[in-house]
Amino acid sequence: MGKKKRVAAIMMMFLFAVVLFWKPNDVLAAARQVRLRANRTYKNYDITGNKKKDSIRVKTTQNSIALVVNGRTVYSTKAEQLGYGEADIRYCQFANGKPFLFIRGYGINAMTMSRILYYRSGKITAINMGGYFRNFGSIYDISGFRVSGNAFYVVFHSMPYSTGVTFLKPYKFVCSKKGAIVRASYTFDVERFSHTWNSTSGEREFKAARNLTVYTNNSMKKKAYTIKKGQKVSIDKIYYNGKVMTLRTKYKGKYGWLKALTKSQYPKYKQFADTAFAG
């Protein structure tokens, strides 16, 4: 075999080995979640993100929750009427290996202590899962939690002042390139409303309790149309960016956006006649 052929053969063998054993970073690990028990110490998981196993303990009582990592309390919060101190605790990892904890409380006000906890730049970060909608209503329950790839999904059971008991479709959070866990969108898709599901047309309908002004988009600057009192209107999306909430409406075949009620406006300025509330 000539020198050139030997060099070519060696190069081919090298390339074959690279292809055989090389894997891209995003598939080195699969997303996962493991259930943990409250008030028990675990030493087999990395929560700080430094690839080393940590000592993890989630302490719960009837009115509090705390996260203890390597013997130090790194996060604590009060919880109202937390049943018997029980909680659904899950240690999770995205496909990129970033770890986090999902904690859901049980009790009358379970959502007041449901959190996502994770480390970023060496410091613990908390996402208050029950804090969504704030001045525009409440999140009273959560279900359907799952991790897939570099994202996780939850189903919020909400009660905005505008629409009452509202069931939303799975909502997505993602792990950003900078290591932050953020919402994938400001828009929530509606599954249905309590007592207002129109099984024939498949739309989510309400009857207007007053004349309602609808706008072309979320800037609320240009008027699209007016929904007359007593007329039916459907709602399929809720937009919430932390400060503003609007509802996407469909009225006589036209779409638009309606300002949602705040706590101070309800029930004096109730928008729909057939909303249902719990609690």
Side-chain angles (χ1 to χ4, degrees), residues 73-204:
T73 300
V74 296
Y75 179 82
S76 63
T77 186
K78 293 182 179 180
E80 300 177 11
Q81 298 177 327
L82 184 59
Y84 296 98
E86 296 180 358
D88 177 6
I89 306 168
R90 307 189 197 189
Y91 171 83
C92 307
Q93 279 186 319
F94 291 117
N96 63 12
K98 185 174 183 64
F100 65 96
L101 288 176
F102 166 75
I103 303 172
R104 174 185 179 273
Y106 296 116
I108 297 176
N109 294 315
M111 283 308 300
T112 61
M113 59 80 55
S114 289
R115 302 286 190 272
I116 295 293
L117 299 176
Y118 70 101
Y119 274 81
R120 187 184 182 198
S121 300
K123 296 182 179 180
I124 195 72
T125 300
I127 299 176
N128 181 0
M129 304 296 281
Y132 288 95
F133 295 178
R134 297 179 182 176
N135 191 41
F136 298 93
S138 63
I139 300 292
Y140 66 88
D141 198 5
I142 190 172
S143 63
F145 178 85
R146 65 184 178 89
V147 186
S148 178
N150 290 325
F152 73 80
Y153 302 80
V154 293
V155 176
F156 288 117
H157 303 272
S158 64
M159 198 155 50
Y161 296 114
S162 288
T163 57
V165 176
T166 302
F167 301 94
L168 302 171
K169 293 182 180 180
Y171 189 69
K172 183 180 180 180
F173 291 79
V174 297
C175 181
S176 72
K177 293 181 179 179
K178 295 183 178 180
I181 297 177
V182 297
R183 295 191 285 172
S185 169
Y186 288 138
T187 302
F188 297 78
D189 292 318
V190 174
E191 179 68 37
R192 64 185 176 89
F193 300 100
S194 183
H195 306 306
T196 59
W197 178 256
N198 185 326
S199 59
T200 302
S201 67
E203 295 182 338
R204 305 130 185 95

Side-chain angles (χ1 to χ4, degrees), residues 10 23 39 43 47 49 75 99 118 152 172 208 264 266 271:
I10 292 172
K23 294 181 180 180
N39 303 309
K43 298 183 178 181
I47 188 61
Y75 179 82
Y118 70 101
F152 73 80
K172 183 180 180 180
S264 62
Y266 180 83
Q271 293 169 311

Side-chain angles (χ1 to χ4, degrees), residues 191-220:
E191 179 68 37
R192 64 185 176 89
F193 300 100
S194 183
H195 306 306
T196 59
W197 178 256
N198 185 326
S199 59
T200 302
S201 67
E203 295 182 338
R204 305 130 185 95
E205 293 188 335
F206 287 105
K207 182 180 291 186
R210 60 197 311 115
N211 289 346
L212 302 171
T213 301
V214 177
Y215 298 85
T216 56
N217 54 49
N218 287 316
S219 68
M220 300 289 135

